[in-house]
């Protein structure tokens, strides 16, 4: 009888720590799961926030590229105009058309409106 009662005592002692181990394991799993849910939520929020920021910056970059292209075209046109202004014949044409200036001995011819 002692052995049977001793066993029952040992069984009840063994059942207690096993129950605590299971409860502790569940608690650790629940803590890990809660941490993972929080981490995943934070990562998702950060991802979407950065995605919208990147989209905004991409749109701004596109606008700046268009502005840069227009500015470069205007610069090329101005460089061509400066190059033409170095030619005395072109300057003479501008003087005749805009200011009505002619070389000495040159007779202007005006169209007659009918």
């Amino acid at each position: 009888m002692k052995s049977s009662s001793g066993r029952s005592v040992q069984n009840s002692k063994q059942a207690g720590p096993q129950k605590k181990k299971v409860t502790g394991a569940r608690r650790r799993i629940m803590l890990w799961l809660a941490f993972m849910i929080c981490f995943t939520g934070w990562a998702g929020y950060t991802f979407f926030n950065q995605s919208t920021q990147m989209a905004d910056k991409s749109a701004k970059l596109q606008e700046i590229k268009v502005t840069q292209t227009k500015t470069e075209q205007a610069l090329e046109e101005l460089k061509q105009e400066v190059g033409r202004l170095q030619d005395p014949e072109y300057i003479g044409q501008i003087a005749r058309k805009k200011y009505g200036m002619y070389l000495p001995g040159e007779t202007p011819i005006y169209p007659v409106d009918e």
Side-chain angles (χ1 to χ4, degrees):
M1 288 191 159
K2 276 188 171 181
S3 61
S4 67
S5 66
R7 283 186 180 172
S8 66
V9 171
Q10 287 178 352
N11 285 341
S12 66
K13 287 182 182 178
Q14 287 176 355
Q18 282 181 347
K19 192 172 188 181
K20 287 182 182 180
K21 285 182 183 179
V22 172
T23 304
R26 284 185 183 161
R27 184 177 297 143
R28 283 190 299 272
I29 290 172
M30 292 304 282
L31 285 172
W32 181 81
L33 185 60
F35 172 76
M36 291 305 292
I37 289 171
C38 290
F39 179 77
T40 304
W42 170 79
Y45 171 77
T46 303
F47 174 76
F48 288 117
N49 190 18
Q50 289 178 355
S51 295
T52 56
Q53 288 177 355
M54 285 178 57
D56 293 342
K57 291 190 186 288
S58 294
K60 280 185 179 180
L61 179 64
Q62 189 65 27
E63 290 174 10
I64 290 172
K65 283 184 177 181
V66 168
T67 305
Q68 180 183 11
T69 304
K70 289 179 181 179
T71 305
E72 287 175 353
Q73 288 175 350
L75 179 65
E76 287 300 317
E77 289 174 6
L78 289 173
K79 283 182 180 180
Q80 288 177 355
E81 184 68 22
V82 167
R84 283 188 269 170
L85 287 172
Q86 301 298 321
D87 184 19
E89 188 173 321
Y90 182 69
I91 293 174
Q93 287 177 359
I94 291 174
R96 286 182 192 95
K97 284 182 183 178
K98 288 187 177 181
Y99 303 109
M101 300 172 74
Y102 296 98
L103 292 173
E106 198 174 64
T107 307
I109 301 174
Y110 299 107
V112 180
D113 293 333
E114 292 183 37

